[in-house]
Amino acid sequence: MGFNTPLKVGVLVDLERGDEAGGHVKCWEHFAKAAVGFANQLNLTVHFQGNNDEEISLGPRTRIITLRPLFSTKRLFFLRNIADYTDLAPGHPRLKKYLKGYDVIHTTDGYFAYAQSAARFSRKYDVPLVNSVHTDTPGFTKVYSEKAIRRLCGRGIFGRLLIERLRLPERFSKKMQEKLVEHMAQCKAILSSERNLLEIDSRVKTLSSQLRRGIDKKLFHPNKRNPDKLRKRFGIPEGKPIIAFVGRLDGSKNVMTLAKAAKLLVDRSWDLHLILAGKGYFKNEIGDLLGDSVTFAGTLAAGDIALLDASCDLFVFPSNLEVWPNAVLEAKASGAAILVAPGGGDVYVEQDGQDGLIIKDPSPKVWAQEIEKLLNNPDKIAAFRKAARHDVETKRLTWADVLEQDLIPVWRSAAETRP
């Protein structure tokens, strides 16, 4: 194909699209919107799962297509509300008619219905396959399978046998890693975060390159700071420090580390307040622990997250199972003082202790100590805020930048390998 011909790319996201979807889905929604500005180079279709079969046109050569899953994890009570919903079927037959029209097929996992259909189609018709890694799915599998087993079996002897003696969560995690390696070995290119590039299995000889995350620097901006508005909205009295968290309220995000740290501070007479934006199975446990010291904001619109990030005193994100966590970059862009864990939001901290703080110890006691130090030092918080925004202004990319620099060149190169 000629270089000036718009490249036809189909991206397959094996997750349900909706208001409560996580960062993986949101990431590709952002890329799809950015692609409208590249219509002379790119004809892009992004596929998600949805409640209905639907095609949404974003521009003359950009669209989003949703298909109903064949066997959604939503149908299994022990997986419900644990993670974003996906399709456990071994393929999706209705996807084939779309795959026929693409120069490159881009999968975003190697496990579920869309990815399995794409792999078979690629092998049969020699359509180049590209894969990007957005989530530590093997790591999440360990966390979520343990939760599912406890739902099925409770905390009695049988549940302990499956988890502690037979070590099923670890086995499931290893199986997912093997499936990913098998899938990536078929791909013409793999995109991942910078820190994960060297962690790809040695059996995978495929070209690897980085896939960064973009940020809307106008939406997420310190000028959205309005603590009075935030306090009025959630009924938080003046003078109470506000600690924010955005993400799933479950074990994958280590949110209980924050909740327990806050409890330690409350017990030491700190009159602080947590605002947790997201849903998950730890909501009741956190509520019982913190009572009136926590607000569950649920799933917030982007504009409301911008207000929360810019207006809170601290943004705390203890997760250590992340690739490029959107929530942390949005907080930084908003001028928040961020506290993060290794293997999580630390990918966005340029200089530890200046534009953010990396807390290496997972103990809630240590997190409480670091939170307390900052709450006692408003000048340090102000310095963190300033440095965070400066880092975003000078070093972070927009979604259009990432599309142009990281994705389109890889797609173009993969297309040129087609027989």
Side-chain angles (χ1 to χ4, degrees):
M1 63 181 295
F3 183 78
N4 293 323
T5 304
L7 188 65
K8 295 181 180 178
V9 178
V11 177
L12 312 180
V13 182
D14 267 305
L15 295 170
E16 183 176 292
R17 184 173 185 246
D19 293 339
E20 297 182 10
H24 186 160
V25 170
K26 300 300 183 186
C27 169
W28 282 104
E29 289 178 332
H30 289 309
F31 282 136
K33 293 174 184 176
V36 175
F38 294 85
N40 62 325
Q41 302 179 50
L42 185 62
N43 188 326
L44 180 67
T45 305
V46 182
H47 296 263
F48 298 99
Q49 295 170 27
N51 293 321
N52 300 293
D53 290 4
E54 184 179 16
E55 180 171 335
I56 302 168
S57 176
L58 302 182
R61 289 179 176 154
T62 309
R63 66 209 59 81
I64 287 174
I65 292 177
T66 61
L67 297 176
R68 292 189 302 275
L70 301 183
F71 192 86
S72 173
T73 51
K74 190 185 296 186
R75 296 169 62 178
L76 302 174
F77 79 91
F78 54 88
L79 293 178
R80 201 169 298 147
N81 296 321
I82 288 183
D84 287 352
Y85 297 122
T86 189
D87 191 347
L88 297 179
H92 203 302
R94 295 199 305 280
L95 189 64
K96 185 176 179 180
K97 70 175 184 178
Y98 299 104
L99 299 181
K100 292 178 179 179
Y102 300 137
D103 300 311
V104 176
I105 300 170
H106 183 130
T107 56
T108 63
D109 70 78
Y111 320 98
F112 306 113
Y114 284 177
Q116 292 188 58
S117 288
R120 288 192 292 269
F121 187 89
S122 173
R123 287 193 296 268
K124 185 173 182 179
Y125 296 102
D126 287 325
V127 178
L129 189 65
V130 171
N131 190 74
S132 56
V133 179
H134 295 257
T135 305
D136 181 5
T137 304
F140 283 140
T141 298
K142 182 180 177 181
V143 173
Y144 290 144
S145 60
E146 181 174 339
K147 178 63 178 179
I149 290 170
R150 293 199 186 282
R151 275 190 179 179
L152 280 168
C153 306
R155 295 184 175 274
I157 187 170
F158 187 55
R160 293 200 304 273
L161 172 67
L162 296 178
I163 294 170
E164 298 171 13
R165 294 289 299 276
L166 297 181
R167 302 180 69 85
L168 288 189
E170 287 85 352
R171 293 185 182 189
F172 293 152
S173 177
K174 184 177 180 181
K175 182 65 175 178
M176 294 299 270
Q177 180 66 22
E178 290 296 320
K179 289 180 70 174
L180 179 60
V181 168
E182 180 182 352
H183 183 77
M184 291 193 299
Q186 182 184 336
C187 296
K188 297 294 183 181
I190 299 165
L191 298 109
S192 184
S193 71
E194 291 172 325
R195 67 172 168 215
N196 284 345
L197 288 179
L198 299 179
E199 298 174 10
I200 294 173
D201 193 282
S202 60
R203 288 168 287 176
V204 180
K205 307 301 182 182
T206 308
L207 172 68
S208 302
S209 60
Q210 66 178 348
L211 175 58
R212 294 163 288 186
R213 297 296 183 271
I215 185 66
D216 185 335
K217 299 181 184 183
K218 293 182 179 179
L219 174 59
F220 295 99
H221 193 283
N223 64 14
K224 302 298 192 300
R225 181 171 174 77
N226 192 335
D228 290 340
K229 181 178 179 180
L230 183 68
R231 291 176 185 280
K232 182 176 180 181
R233 175 168 179 177
F234 292 109
I236 302 171
E238 181 70 28
K240 278 192 175 187
I242 296 175
I243 298 173
F245 169 89
V246 178
R248 292 188 63 84
L249 308 182
D250 62 28
S252 72
K253 304 297 183 185
N254 284 342
V255 67
M256 288 306 299
T257 296
L258 170 58
K260 292 176 182 178
K263 174 62 174 174
L264 290 172
L265 292 171
V266 169
D267 288 346
R268 292 209 293 265
S269 300
W270 269 98
D271 193 17
L272 54 76
H273 198 90
L274 260 61
I275 299 180
L276 307 180
K279 296 185 177 181
Y281 53 77
F282 275 143
K283 178 180 177 180
N284 292 339
E285 188 171 342
I286 295 170
D288 291 342
L289 186 68
L290 291 173
D292 294 340
S293 295
V294 63
T295 291
F296 299 100
T299 302
L300 296 178
D304 294 325
I305 292 175
L307 170 66
L308 173 62
D309 289 347
S311 304
C312 67
D313 292 280
L314 297 174
F315 181 93
V316 181
F317 195 77
S319 175
N320 59 4
L321 282 176
E322 304 292 333
V323 178
W324 286 95
N326 297 352
V328 175
L329 183 55
E330 291 169 354
K332 280 199 75 175
S334 302
I338 65 169
L339 288 75
V340 298
D346 63 316
V347 70
Y348 289 124
V349 177
E350 190 71 17
Q351 292 183 290
D352 187 15
Q354 295 190 32
D355 60 319
L357 184 65
I358 303 171
I359 303 177
K360 300 178 177 63
D361 193 315
S363 164
K365 180 179 179 180
V366 173
W367 283 77
Q369 290 170 348
E370 296 299 337
I371 290 170
E372 186 171 33
K373 286 178 187 177
L374 281 174
L375 292 179
N376 281 324
N377 192 344
D379 289 342
K380 185 65 173 178
I381 291 178
F384 270 27
R385 290 183 184 279
K386 183 177 180 180
R389 181 62 193 188
H390 178 74
D391 175 67
V392 170
E393 288 280 9
T394 57
K395 297 177 181 176
R396 307 301 170 180
L397 305 177
T398 67
W399 292 102
D401 293 332
V402 179
L403 180 65
E404 183 176 31
Q405 296 177 28
D406 293 357
L407 285 168
I408 292 178
V410 170
W411 290 336
R412 181 69 63 179
S413 178
E416 291 171 353
T417 67
R418 188 171 186 177

